[in-house]
Amino acid sequence: METRLGHCLFLIFSEWICLFTLTSILGGTKAEVRCIPSCQLPLIRAFPREVSALDLTHFGEEPADEFIGFTEGSPGAKSITGEDEKLNVAELPASEESSSKVQQPLGGNNTSCLQKDALNGQQKLSHPKVFPQSDLPAAVPSPSDGNFTENSSSSDGKNDSFYGENGAQVDVTVNEDEDVASWRRTRSARSAETWSGFRPEGGEDASFADQEEFQLTSSTFALTGDTAHNQAMVHWSGQNSSVILMLTKYYDFNSGRVTESSLWRSTDYGTTYEKLNEKVGPKTILSYLYVSPNNKKKIMLLTDPEVESSLLISLDEGASYQKHSLAFDILSLLFHPEQEDWILAYSHDQKLYVSVEFGRRWQLVHDSVVPNRFYWSRLGLDKEQGMIHLEISVTDGRSQYITCKLQNCSDGNKGKPFPGFIIPDSLVVQDEYVFIQVPVGGQSVHYVSYKRNAFYPMKLPKYTLPKDLQIISTDDNQVVAAIQDWHQNDSYNLYMSESRGLFFTLMLENVVSSGGPEGNIMIDLYEVAGIKGVFLSNKVVENQVKTYITYNKGRDWRLLQAPTTDLQGNKVYCEQPYCSLHLHLHVSENPYTSGNIVSKDSAPGIIIASGVVGPELTSTNVSIFITSDAGNTWKEAFQEEYSVFFLNQGGSLVAIRHTPLPIRHIWLSFDEGRNWDKYSFTSSPLYVDGVLGEPGEDTLIMTIFGHFSHRSEWQLVKIDFRSIFQHRCTSEDYLTWQLHNEGEVCIMGMKRIFQKLKANVQCVKARDQYISQMSDSCLCTEADFECDYGFERQIDGSCIPAFWFVPSATSRDCITGDSFLNTTGYRRALFNNCTEGTLLQYSPRRQKCPSQVPRGLQLFTSEGTLVATLGKNVTFLVFLEEGLSSTTSITVDFGDGTAISYVNISSIDDGVKHIYSKVGIYQVSATATNTLGFDRVILYLHVSCQLEQVQLSAPSVVIKNKAVNLTTVLRPSNVGTVTYYWWFDNKTEPVVTLEGGMSFTFSKEGSHTVTVQASVGNTVHQDQMTVAVYDYFRSHVLAFSSNLDELNPGVSEWREDIGRVVKSSMVQVTGISEDQLLVTVLPGLPTTAEIFIVPERTSRDRAMDEKWAHLDQLSQVLLSALNQDLIQFTLRPGVQVNVYATRLSPAPLVDSSDSGHSSTAVIMLVSVVLMGLAVFVIYKFKRKIPGINTYTAEQPDKEQEVIPTVTSIAVPNPEGDKLTSLDHVDVQLDSKSRGYLPSHTDIKLSDEAPHVF
C-alpha cells in the first residue's frame, strides 16, 4: 500500500515537473514590432507551426508567457536589451510625416489583421529588437492612410503578429533561441518565487486557481480550406453594423508573392462567415484590402500585380464587387479626409494618380514625386479643397515643393509656396504647419509656414546646432520638436514653440531615442489620452534611464512614485530620487493598436504600462502597472506578461495571458485593475494568434483568432460580453474624481473633475457619459507661465535672459506690423486657462514698434547656391531679423548695373527674381535702410552658361626639352569661370589653372598623353591627345582644295581619318617610310594640316649633319610630289581632293623666348634677303637677260600653289638658339615624266629661283 501510494505520488510529481518545464522552455523571444495605419488594412504573416521546433533547452524553468492582443510595447511587455539592441518607440504613419510623432491610441478603428502563431514553441514578446536594415526583408505596399511597408520573415527569425483592442494588426519578427534563453535565465528566478505552480491548461497561475470561474457567451467558426494560409486582414464595419470582412492568403516567402487567397464575410458579428471567392472570381488572387475612412461601406480590394493589375470595388460592405483594370501598379493609397471618393495612388515608378470616383477612373497628377511626400489640402487652410501638396524631385540632391489642383497639374496651375529648392524628403504638411529644409551655405536651415503664410526660419536657442530635427507633434496649435544637438548621440532635447511654430524653448533635455525598423528615429515621449498636458518621458540622467511625468505640458517634470506594495501585498521600500517607477513607453506606430503603454480618451486617468521599480529602467523583471488617477499612484497588476484591453468605453478591463500553450480563460476587472475575475471563453483550449475588438469605444464584442492544433484551420471565437453587464448605466452608478498633481488641483490653470464608474458596477455605459467633466478656472501664479524665447529658467524658478539674448530687441512682429508684444521673460502655456492673479505681471505688453536700425539682414538664392545659369531666372530671398517694416526700405543691387527697391520687406516674401544676360561673377547686395541707419549684406554670384565641349590644341610633334604651348578652345567660348585640370601621362595629381592654356616641357622622347578637363559649375568636359617627342624633325604646312571645306564637319574623328588618308597617299607616292611621317589635320576653316618628317629609329649613331641631310632629302622628295599635284585622295565618288604645300604656318607651338641668335641663323637670314633681291631683279629684267626662263601658272585665289614651299625646320642649336632655320629649295622634275619620282640619291637641287605667286 505504501509502495502504491509512493508510486502515485511519484507519477503526480513527475507530471507536475513535466508541465512546469514545458511552459518554461518557451521563454521570451525578442521581437521587432511593426504597426500599420488603418486606411489599408494591416497585413499579417506567419509560418506554419511545427511541434519539432519547440525549444527544450531550458526544461524545468518557469512558465512561459503569452503575447496576445496588442502590438509592440503592449502593457506588460519586457524590453530586452543588449549591445546591439535598441528600444523601439512609436513611429507615425507616413501620412503624418513625422517619424516619431506622439500618438495617443484612438478608438473607433474598424480594421484589424491577424497572423497565425509562427511556431508553437516560440514565445511571443512585445519587446522589440531592432534589426539592421540589411536584415529586413523586401517591402510590400504599406499603408499610411494607404501607405505601408511589410516585412517578410528572414532566415534567422520567425514572424508573428498580434493585435490591439480595436483590431489593428502588427508584425512581429521573432529572433533566434539564444536570445530567448538569456531572457529566461534572468526572469525565472523571480518568477519561481512569485508563481508557485501552474495549471496544465495554458499554464495559468496558481494564485488564480481557486477563484470562481465564469462562463462567457461565445461561438466558434472554422475557416475551412485555409489551413495553409499564413496571412490575414480583417475589417469590422462597426457602429451599428454587424459586417466583418476577412482576407486570408498564402504568402510564399521564397517567391515573394501571394499565391492563394480567400475572402470571407460575416453579417452576424462574426458568428458565421461566407466564402466569397466565387463572387470576386475563382482565379483572382487578392493581395490587399482597403476601406474608405469616411464611409465604411466602401471597400477596395487589390489583386496581386504579378498575376493581374486590377482592383475590385464594393459599395455595399463587401456584398458585391465590380472589377476595374489598372494601367499601373499601386504601391500605396491616401484617402481624402472628408471626400469619401477621392483617393491618391502612388505607383512603383514614382508617379502620383488621383481618382474622384473611388478608383473607377484614374488620372495622372505628376511624376517624379518623392515617396510619402504628398498630402491632401485642408478646408479652411488651403485656398481650394481639391488641392494637393507635393514634393517632386528636380535633380539629384534637390527637390521642390509645389501645389497642384486636383485634376489639372499643368505648369500654369502649379503653385510654388516656397520659391526655391528644398532638401529632398523634407516636406511635412501637418495641421496648420508646413515644414521644409533649405540648403543655405552648406547647412540645412529649417523653415516653417503657419496657416499657409510665408515661410520663416525656425528660431531655436542661438547655440543649438541641430544634427537632426524631428517634428513630434503639432496638436493644439503648438509644435513639439525633438532636436539632436551637436554634442548628443543617443538622446534628443525636446523643444516647444508658440502658436506660430517660430520660436522654440527647451521642454526636456536628454530624452531617450532609438532607431526604428526602417531607419526612422523613435523618441521616448508619450502623451496620456483623455487629459490635456500630461506627458511621460524617459530621460537619461547620469547614464541611467528614468521615467518622468509632467502635468503642465513640459514646464515641470517629476519622477513617478512607486507602488507602496507589490502584488502579494509585501511592502515596497523605494525612496526618491534613488528609487522610483520606470515605464517602457514604446507605442505602436499604428494609432489603433496599443503598445507597452496604453490610455484611452474614454477612460481619463487610467494608464496601463509595463515597467520596473528601481533606480533605473531595465528590461528584466518587468511587471504591469496600472494607475487610475493619472499617474499619482500606481498598483502592480501582473508580474507576468498580459495583454490588457479596455471594454465598455473604459468602464472595464480584459486581460489575456501570454503563453505558447493553448488557453481557454481570460480575466476581467470592474474596479480599474484592483481585482480580476476568471472567465472561460471556449470549451476547448485554443492556441491564440490574435484579438480583434469591436470598433468604436463600446468594445462589447471581441473575436479571438487561433487554432486548436498545429495544422488546423483558422478558428474565430466570437465573445459577446453583453451578457455580463446587467443594465444601462445611470447617474447613481458614477462617482467623481478630481485631477491633481501630488495634491495640487490647479493644473493648467483649471480644476478638473471627471466622472467614472463605481467599483464593481457592471453596467453598459452610454456613449456620451464618459466625457463628462467639470472645470473651474484658477488664479494665475508663476507656475502657469513658462520661460519665453531667449530666457532660461533658474533654480529658483525665475526666467532670466540667456547670455546671447538681447531683451531690448523687438520681435518679428515689427517686420509686418507697427506694434509688438514686449516679453517679460514669461509666456503663458497654450491652453492654460488661469485668470487674474499674476496674469498681468507675467504677460507680455503690447507696445508700439520703436524706430530701430535694421539688423540681421540675410540674402541668399532660392536654390541655396552661389551659381546661376545665364538667361534663367535667379530668385533672391531677403530676410530681416529686426527693423520696423513701415519705415524700412529694401534695395537689391544685382551687380550688373540694375537694382530694385521696395518700400517694405513684406512685399518680397516670394523673393526677388532677376535674369542675367552675360556670364561673369556679380556682386549682389541687399540694403535695408531707415532714418536711423542701414544694414547691408553681400554675396558673389557666379553666372555661367552650359559648357558643351572643350577641345585641346597642341602640336603633334615637339622637340625634347623645349617648352610647348598647350591651349584649349571652349564651346561656347564664354561660359563664365572655368577651372582647368591638366594630366600628363599617368600622373595622379593634375596641374590646376584658371587659364585655358599653359606651357609644358617634355624631357623624354617618345609618345606622351595630355588630358585636360574644363569644369564650369556642375559640368565637366574632357579632351585628350597624344604628343610625340623627338630630338629634331622637319615640318610643312599643307592646304587642301576648297571642296574639302564644304564637307568638313569639324569633329576630331573626321580630322584623324583625313590625316590617315593623306599620310597613306604620301607613303604610296614618295616611298617614304610611314614611321617617318606624321600628319595632323588642324581644326577650323579653311582646312589645313601639318606634315612632320621625323628621324629614323636607326639613325641615332649618325652625325647631326648626316641626320639633317637625310631629312632634307626626304623633305625635297615630299615637296616635289606636292608641287606636282601627286598627293590627292577621293573623299567620296566624284569628289577628288588635292593636297598642296603652303607658306601659311600654324601659330607658334614652340616657345622661342631666348634672345640669342646664332651666326648660322644670321647668315641664312641674309641669304634669304639676297635671294629675294635676286629674284626681284631677274623678274624685273627677265626680258633683257637671255637664257633665263620663268614658269608661272594662274591659280584661283583659294587654291594658290607655291612651288616650292617654305620649309620650317626645328633645329636644336647646341648654342641655345631657338629660332627656326629656313631653307629655300626647289626640286625640278622632268615634266615629261610627271608621276615618276627619282630615288633619294637622284635628287638634284635646282639653281633656278623659286616660282612666287
Side-chain angles (χ1 to χ4, degrees), residues 1148-1210:
L1149 299 175
V1150 179
D1151 190 344
S1152 304
S1153 57
D1154 288 359
S1155 58
H1157 303 285
S1158 67
S1159 59
T1160 304
V1162 173
I1163 294 173
M1164 291 187 66
L1165 181 59
V1166 172
S1167 300
V1168 169
V1169 173
L1170 294 176
M1171 182 69 72
L1173 291 174
V1175 169
F1176 176 78
V1177 171
I1178 292 172
Y1179 181 79
K1180 190 71 174 176
F1181 303 102
K1182 61 183 177 178
R1183 294 185 180 180
K1184 299 179 181 181
I1185 303 177
I1188 298 298
N1189 298 321
T1190 303
Y1191 301 92
T1192 62
E1194 298 294 333
Q1195 297 288 345
D1197 291 341
K1198 293 186 177 179
E1199 300 185 11
Q1200 290 185 3
E1201 184 175 352
V1202 180
I1203 302 174
T1205 186
V1206 177
T1207 303
S1208 175
I1209 306 172

Side-chain angles (χ1 to χ4, degrees), residues 1048-1100:
N1048 186 345
V1051 296
S1052 60
E1053 292 81 3
W1054 182 87
R1055 293 193 294 271
E1056 291 175 4
D1057 289 337
I1058 296 297
R1060 177 176 50 80
V1061 172
V1062 171
K1063 177 180 176 181
S1064 177
S1065 177
M1066 289 180 174
V1067 171
Q1068 183 178 1
V1069 171
T1070 65
I1072 301 176
S1073 171
E1074 65 177 9
D1075 293 336
Q1076 290 189 263
L1077 294 180
L1078 295 175
V1079 178
T1080 302
V1081 179
L1082 304 176
L1085 293 176
T1087 308
T1088 57
E1090 189 169 9
I1091 177 70
F1092 298 91
I1093 307 173
V1094 300
E1096 292 179 310
R1097 297 177 181 176
T1098 59
S1099 64
R1100 294 184 179 180

Side-chain angles (χ1 to χ4, degrees), residues 281-318:
K283 296 183 179 181
T284 301
I285 299 178
L286 304 174
S287 58
Y288 290 98
L289 172 64
Y290 291 87
V291 183
S292 171
N294 302 303
N295 186 346
K296 308 302 181 184
K297 294 183 178 181
K298 293 189 174 183
I299 311 295
M300 182 180 293
L301 295 166
L302 295 184
T303 61
D304 183 9
E306 295 290 334
V307 180
E308 61 175 329
S309 185
S310 61
L311 55 83
L312 291 90
I313 296 173
S314 174
L315 306 179
D316 52 9
E317 291 187 283

Side-chain angles (χ1 to χ4, degrees), residues 546 559-560 562 572-582 613-615:
K546 299 176 181 288
L559 295 168
L560 293 177
V572 174
Y573 297 94
C574 185
E575 184 177 346
Q576 295 185 7
Y578 310 105
C579 176
S580 60
L581 174 63
H582 310 286
V613 174

Side-chain angles (χ1 to χ4, degrees), residues 356-533:
V356 294
E357 302 178 47
F358 199 71
R360 287 184 285 272
R361 292 184 182 85
W362 295 91
Q363 179 178 335
L364 178 65
V365 177
H366 208 285
D367 55 8
S368 301
V369 177
V370 178
N372 298 326
R373 299 298 174 181
F374 47 90
Y375 310 85
W376 284 109
S377 60
R378 281 190 54 181
L379 190 63
L381 286 174
D382 295 285
K383 296 178 181 179
E384 299 182 22
Q385 186 180 25
M387 184 180 291
I388 308 167
H389 300 265
L390 302 171
E391 179 183 332
I392 60 173
S393 297
V394 180
T395 58
D396 292 339
R398 292 193 299 181
S399 293
Q400 196 165 33
Y401 167 32
I402 67 171
T403 57
C404 277
K405 292 184 179 180
L406 184 62
Q407 292 179 299
N408 188 357
C409 199
S410 61
D411 291 337
N413 289 313
K414 290 180 184 178
K416 295 183 179 179
F418 185 79
F421 292 103
I422 66 176
I423 292 178
D425 207 35
S426 68
L427 174 65
V428 177
V429 181
Q430 197 165 303
D431 298 326
E432 289 85 1
Y433 305 92
V434 180
F435 303 93
I436 58 174
Q437 296 180 45
V438 180
V440 178
Q443 296 182 341
S444 174
V445 179
H446 297 264
Y447 280 75
V448 62
S449 167
Y450 178 58
K451 291 186 176 180
R452 309 302 190 260
N453 293 317
F455 281 90
Y456 292 102
M458 296 166 60
K459 298 293 292 185
L460 302 170
K462 186 171 183 179
Y463 294 104
T464 299
L465 306 176
K467 292 192 297 185
D468 184 37
L469 186 149
Q470 303 287 334
I471 302 299
I472 302 296
S473 170
T474 55
D475 299 334
D476 304 327
N477 268 9
Q478 189 173 43
V479 179
V480 177
I483 295 176
Q484 189 173 58
D485 214 342
W486 60 273
H487 61 277
Q488 294 176 309
N489 293 317
D490 298 323
S491 62
Y492 280 66
N493 294 338
L494 295 179
Y495 289 86
M496 187 167 45
S497 77
E498 31 71 78
S499 61
R500 295 170 298 177
L502 285 177
F503 297 93
F504 287 79
T505 56
L506 184 63
M507 181 178 176
L508 185 65
E509 289 183 297
N510 296 323
V511 177
V512 173
S513 67
S514 58
E518 296 181 15
N520 53 333
I521 302 300
M522 305 297 190
I523 307 296
D524 267 20
L525 178 69
Y526 179 76
E527 182 177 7
V528 177
I531 304 176
K532 289 287 186 184

